[in-house]
Amino acid sequence: MTQSFDYINQIIIYATFAMSLNLVQGYTGQASIAQAAFGAVGGYTAALLSVHAGMTFVFATLIGMVVGFVLGVLVSLPALGVGADFVILLTLAFAYIVSSLLGSIHYFGGQSGIIDVKPVSLFGHAFRTPNEIFPVFLVIGLLVLGFCWRVGESGYGRVLKGLREDEPATRSLGLSTVRFQASVFGIASAIGALGGSLFVYYYSQAAPASFSLNQSILFVIMVVLGGSGNLIGSIVGAALITLSTPVLQDWVKVNPNNASFWQQVVYGALLILLMVFRPAGLIPEHVSGRPRWWQRLGSKNKAVAHSGRPHTADALAGGGSLSDAIAHGQVAPALDLGGTEVGTDEQVPALSSVMGGSGGGLSGLSGSGSAGTGGLGSLTTGEGEAFEDLDDPEAGAYHFTHQAPPPEAEAILTVTGLVKRFGGITAVAGVDMQVARNQVTALIGPNGAGKSTLFGLFTGFMPADEGSVVLNGEEVRGKSPNAIARLGMVRSFQDVRLFRYLTALQNVMIAVPDQPAEFVWKLFAAPGQVRRREREVRERALELLASVGMLDEANTLCGDLGHGEQKLVAIARVLATNAELLLLDEPTSGVEPEWVERVAAVIRELPNQGKTVCVVEHNLAFLQMLNANCYFMEAGRIRTKGTLDELMAEEDLRRAYFGV
Ligand code: ADP
Ligand code: MG
């Protein structure tokens, strides 16, 4: 009996290490092999305070955790943004430093460590045997599980997963890598220190061998075995590894002298089997927020959507409030060209009326090659009346450019003399341009012209060699992407860069600013505020997904979406940032023609909501719908600017680019 409690207590101690490591390894995607070293930090701190200062279990452990937190943050700082392989080296170095200090400094007791640590005592009662101490450890273990769960499965954890999936994309949304990565390292290290303290109190001794590199690697195995990104998996992993000892010794009757050898063989074999048959671990990460009953509803929902009727309120995961929003016209409106008011200034109808299928639409657009580069079909109204071919500049009927932007409009972004060289290639060769506030600006030109590079320069993703980028009167050249995003300029990526193992909804939710759930202390200090805001954030994200036609896929992993669908989610994600200036890099490439229209409608409406848009596009039909100021870029330079009609009227552009 005592033996069973002994094993359970060991499992709890190891699960403490494994769960906390999972926050770093599974949630944030950073491989740390120093978890046992942080255990040593906590264990030795507690042992020294207990033996030399007579401090009680609770205080000695808490102080150990604080030391663990501080060291964890310090270790993480050099690792910021340098990739997971560097983090392995860094934590390896830390583990070596800790183990050599402990083994060699006299004060730490050398190889035998610090002995005679008094047993755990609470309220004057000492817990001496495994049976006695089990309830204490159980409570601590449950607290750790609850804490890690709250942290990992919150808005904070969502950002951690974002960093894991795509760090630059996370920064592009205004989120700072430093804050999240450093804090999660600190938290995981503090809990590791707690595990170390439990270990030391349990065995009444702090010795270097208990916190060796091997031990750290065992914790990594526990996490991988159980399932990265799943805390219950870490407990299962800890149990399997811990119980392998009695299984081998008592059941398989392995000679105790060979036990550790066979143990290593078993761990190795388990890992190989796992990689082959269950790469995500025994209990894989819980990736979709959609329970089974929702999936059934979801398929119904899809059928409704495809029949062109509005989404029913009860089919929504978050309750009926999105449809309320739709009914009140708060949802970003979509295009309705069913009537005769094409291109007038009348209020654009709310999403519901479009989804309600008031008929018409630019149905002709969906045909022909309109979504492809340069190809342009003939546009048709709902009544089936064909617009003239856009390629014919003499034709008048297609004009969407009814509200030519005032040329003197104030610039939100002013770029002067911008230069970017990649070795011998000058990708951007002295660009001057202005993006007018509350308007849509398009950047067009052949592939390789430097358009995407320009967006990268504007938003701090790559340093410019020369020139200046002034956003709202402030020089932003040299600032970080997240700082620039917070100043109000956010980009999307030509290659989409969604978080593949997050759902569409989570992708959009990450981008919404002002989330108390992204602060660990608020998760515990202000749970009500966190819950309320989380609901709002979810609603907002659902609205945005609806506005780009991706509501049905809200709970689908983005990695499972088609390219065009991903592009649509990416637009919703950028919109969610609340940035004033949105830079969209080929937002409709690969998108179904019917949604190209809706995206155009959403973007066209943005200036009325106080937003400014700059879009890189090849799809001329789409550009026509945007009524944009166009810059034509070629070989790293702005060659000319004007309305699309004006550019298309230029003979050599027409020949070279517009494909006449
Ligand atoms: P566009 O978006 O207009 O198609 P890009 O901005 O992607 O063009 O590329 C412009 C030029 O810069 C191309 O010649 C491309 O090969 C080069 N380029 C872009 N990014 C890099 C990079 N990271 N390293 C080297 N060359 C690059
Ligand atoms: Mg590009």
Side-chain angles (χ1 to χ4, degrees):
M1 197 59 193
T2 303
Q3 186 69 62
S4 319
F5 278 111
D6 183 30
Y7 286 129
I8 296 174
N9 291 337
Q10 285 181 43
I11 291 172
I12 294 174
I13 295 172
Y14 287 142
T16 304
F17 280 104
M19 285 187 283
S20 53
L21 177 62
N22 205 343
L23 288 180
V24 167
Q25 187 177 316
Y27 285 80
T28 322
Q30 300 285 8
S32 159
I33 42 177
Q35 198 62 0
F38 287 110
V41 169
Y44 270 78
T45 307
L48 289 170
L49 289 173
S50 156
V51 170
H52 295 309
M55 203 174 263
T56 60
F57 167 72
V58 172
F59 285 108
T61 302
L62 285 178
I63 292 175
M65 289 175 73
V66 171
V67 179
F69 180 86
V70 172
L71 285 176
V73 170
L74 289 179
V75 167
S76 79
L77 289 181
L80 290 169
V82 288
D85 6 2
F86 192 78
V87 176
I88 296 184
L89 289 179
L90 203 73
T91 51
L92 180 67
F94 180 73
Y96 272 130
I97 292 172
V98 168
S99 83
S100 60
L101 283 182
L102 293 181
S104 57
I105 293 185
H106 178 69
Y107 183 67
F108 295 132
Q111 290 305 327
S112 53
I114 300 167
I115 51 172
D116 289 335
V117 178
K118 286 188 214 64
V120 172
S121 77
L122 291 173
F123 313 112
H125 178 80
F127 299 82
R128 290 172 198 282
T129 64
N131 313 20
E132 272 180 0
I133 205 156
F134 163 70
V136 179
F137 276 18
L138 183 65
V139 169
I140 293 175
L142 289 175
L143 284 175
V144 169
L145 172 63
F147 181 88
C148 292
W149 193 278
R150 182 77 175 135
V151 167
E153 304 298 321
S154 63
Y156 178 83
R158 198 157 54 218
V159 179
L160 296 184
K161 289 180 179 178
L163 289 173
R164 174 187 74 189
E165 300 298 312
D166 193 330
E167 198 235 338
T170 312
R171 301 182 76 193
S172 79
L173 304 171
L175 295 156
S176 136
T177 315
V178 181
R179 174 160 87 76
F180 289 93
Q181 196 163 310
S183 59
V184 76
F185 256 87
I187 289 168
S189 306
I191 301 174
L194 166 66
S197 175
L198 297 183
F199 191 96
V200 163
Y201 272 95
Y202 193 60
Y203 292 105
S204 336
Q205 184 187 12
S210 320
F211 304 109
S212 64
L213 190 60
N214 269 348
Q215 196 61 53
S216 281
I217 291 172
L218 221 47
F219 295 144
V220 173
I221 295 178
M222 288 174 194
V223 172
V224 175
L225 189 67
S228 285
N230 188 310
L231 295 167
I232 303 299
S234 297
I235 300 175
V236 171
L240 286 177
I241 297 289
T242 309
L243 296 178
S244 68
T245 307
V247 166
L248 281 175
Q249 284 180 4
D250 306 345
W251 295 3
V252 189
K253 305 284 181 211
V254 170
N255 178 347
N257 296 331
N258 294 338
S260 90
F261 165 75
W262 281 110
Q263 234 159 359
Q264 314 275 353
V265 172
V266 169
Y267 297 157
L270 272 179
L271 275 185
I272 291 171
L273 286 176
L274 197 77
M275 273 182 255
V276 175
F277 294 107
R278 255 186 113 74
L282 292 175
I283 311 180
E285 182 175 334
H286 178 68
V287 279
S288 161
R290 171 162 41 181
R292 219 168 265 137
W293 61 265
W294 205 98
Q295 283 172 3
R296 279 200 299 277
L297 260 181
S299 47
K300 225 191 280 173
N301 184 18
K302 197 165 247 173
V304 170
H306 285 184
S307 75
R309 293 209 316 278
H311 299 269
T312 45
D314 54 342
L316 274 173
S321 23
L322 173 62
S323 47
D324 294 344
I326 293 173
H328 293 115
Q330 295 154 352
V331 177
L335 189 63
D336 185 351
L337 298 173
T340 48
E341 72 272 31
V342 174
T344 67
D345 281 333
E346 285 185 35
Q347 208 186 350
V348 185
L351 183 70
S352 51
S353 73
V354 173
M355 293 194 130
S358 56
L362 281 164
S363 47
L365 247 183
S366 350
S368 62
S370 57
T373 307
L376 214 52
S378 66
L379 304 168
T380 348
T381 64
E383 284 77 34
E385 155 205 342
F387 284 116
E388 301 289 337
D389 192 331
L390 280 183
D391 280 348
D392 180 1
E394 305 309 318
Y398 62 81
H399 276 290
F400 281 84
T401 48
H402 53 281
Q403 29 172 222
E408 72 284 2
E410 183 219 350
I412 183 171
L413 184 75
T414 306
V415 176
T416 354
L418 208 58
V419 174
K420 178 68 189 176
R421 300 181 199 93
F422 294 110
I425 304 171
T426 305
V428 174
V431 162
D432 299 315
M433 73 182 269
Q434 297 201 328
V435 176
R437 189 185 298 281
N438 287 344
Q439 290 182 18
V440 179
T441 299
L443 190 55
I444 60 179
N447 280 325
K451 305 180 298 296
S452 296
T453 305
L454 213 46
F455 276 8
L457 296 175
F458 292 174
T459 48
F461 275 83
M462 45 182 94
D465 293 315
E466 290 166 35
S468 88
V469 180
V470 175
L471 173 69
N472 273 327
E474 185 176 348
E475 177 65 65
V476 297
R477 183 183 157 196
K479 289 194 192 308
S480 70
N482 37 307
I484 294 174
R486 281 197 302 273
L487 287 173
M489 174 161 59
V490 168
R491 71 175 297 192
S492 74
F493 298 88
Q494 187 174 346
D495 53 350
V496 203
R497 306 192 78 153
L498 289 180
F499 309 119
R500 297 179 60 83
Y501 287 94
L502 293 183
T503 62
L505 178 62
Q506 289 170 323
N507 264 273
V508 180
M509 284 175 79
I510 284 191
V512 178
D514 302 323
Q515 297 194 43
E518 288 171 358
F519 295 85
V520 172
W521 67 272
K522 285 189 185 172
L523 291 174
F524 298 94
Q529 186 198 2
V530 166
R531 205 176 322 111
R532 272 192 306 280
R533 179 69 183 137
E534 182 80 357
R535 215 177 297 134
E536 289 168 10
V537 169
R538 172 183 297 267
E539 278 294 313
R540 175 78 186 128
L542 286 169
E543 274 174 31
L544 289 168
L545 282 172
S547 75
V548 295
M550 291 302 293
L551 189 56
D552 286 335
E553 306 297 344
N555 286 308
T556 306
L557 284 192
C558 284
D560 293 340
L561 293 175
H563 177 77
E565 294 174 310
Q566 292 193 20
K567 279 273 174 181
L568 293 169
V569 175
I571 294 171
R573 187 172 75 172
V574 168
L575 291 178
T577 59
N578 265 358
E580 212 179 335
L581 172 55
L582 308 175
L583 311 177
L584 305 174
D585 201 343
E586 305 200 8
T588 68
S589 66
V591 169
E592 293 277 322
E594 83 186 89
W595 284 108
V596 170
E597 298 162 32
R598 302 212 167 170
V599 169
V602 169
I603 292 176
R604 241 168 85 107
E605 184 57 19
L606 289 172
N608 296 336
Q609 297 164 13
K611 307 246 184 207
T612 306
V613 182
C614 180
V615 57
V616 167
E617 255 301 335
H618 290 294
N619 183 341
L620 291 185
F622 177 72
L623 289 171
Q624 280 287 12
M625 288 186 272
L626 291 185
N627 179 38
N629 316 302
C630 297
Y631 281 86
F632 188 90
M633 190 172 184
E634 197 175 46
R637 291 175 204 281
I638 301 294
R639 176 167 155 180
T640 177
K641 63 177 187 174
T643 63
L644 190 59
D645 293 345
E646 285 164 3
L647 295 195
M648 287 176 66
E650 288 193 27
E651 193 54 37
D652 42 349
L653 280 193
R654 272 162 55 75
R655 221 184 295 281
Y657 182 69
F658 298 112
V660 178

